[in-house]
Amino acid sequence: MLTIGDLSKATGVKVPTIRYYEQMGLLSHAERSEGNQRRYSSEERERLAFIRHARDLGLTIDAIRELIDLSQHPERPCRDADRIAAEQLATVRRKIARLRKLEAELERITSHCHSDQISDCYVIRALANHDLCHDDHD
């Protein structure tokens, strides 16, 4: 059995986050020792490592909850897990596309700024006037 501190060290997940995952129902509430200290099993450590990896990949709490539920039924087909991963991939790709637009716009804005004074600074003018931007990057 692991204390919450040991679990934190083993998984790299901070103690308040572990408590939050318990409150959200992603982790079962830990057993308590006679001194009322939380105690976690190796299964809970594995579950927390799963959650952390899923969060590192940007999955939402709801998606993780659904994946945990799916993992409790190993006989089921994996199409739902595939769907969740594919949805996250699409989300990541949209974010990358948006970041590329932001990168291009910021590069364009900074390349136009050749002034020594703020009064003539293109960056300041472009930020003050969205019409100077080439793309909509909201």
Side-chain angles (χ1 to χ4, degrees):
M1 298 298 283
L2 299 166
T3 66
I4 196 166
D6 292 337
L7 183 64
S8 175
K9 288 176 189 168
T11 60
V13 178
K14 294 180 181 181
V15 169
T17 304
I18 295 170
R19 290 185 186 125
Y20 171 73
Y21 290 155
E22 281 183 9
Q23 291 172 349
M24 296 299 295
L26 296 179
L27 284 177
S28 58
H29 289 283
E31 293 180 25
R32 298 285 184 152
S33 69
E34 287 184 24
N36 203 30
Q37 191 176 42
R38 286 178 165 95
R39 298 288 183 185
Y40 298 89
S41 68
S42 60
E43 288 98 17
E44 289 160 322
R45 185 188 70 232
E46 289 171 12
R47 165 84 53 95
L48 185 57
F50 177 94
I51 294 167
R52 177 166 189 228
H53 192 193
R55 292 297 288 159
D56 288 346
L57 292 172
L59 291 162
T60 66
I61 296 294
D62 288 338
I64 294 168
R65 184 175 284 114
E66 189 174 351
L67 288 166
I68 289 170
D69 182 57
L70 289 169
S71 73
Q72 302 300 310
H73 304 282
E75 74 286 353
R76 290 177 59 188
C78 65
R79 69 178 164 264
D80 288 333
D82 291 343
R83 173 189 49 79
I84 292 167
E87 287 170 357
Q88 180 60 19
L89 177 59
T91 297
V92 167
R93 286 181 172 157
R94 283 190 301 274
K95 288 178 182 179
I96 289 170
R98 183 175 183 275
L99 286 170
R100 285 190 177 131
K101 282 183 174 182
L102 291 174
E103 177 188 34
E105 188 60 27
L106 287 167
E107 188 173 310
R108 188 189 70 75
I109 289 171
T110 58
S111 70
H112 279 81
C113 196
H114 304 293
S115 178
D116 291 331
Q117 296 180 339
I118 289 293
S119 62
D120 296 324
C121 180
Y122 189 79
V123 170
I124 300 294
R125 287 196 329 255
L127 292 175
N129 183 356
H130 193 66
D131 292 337
L132 294 176
C133 293
H134 279 166
D135 290 317
D136 185 26
H137 48 79
D138 292 334

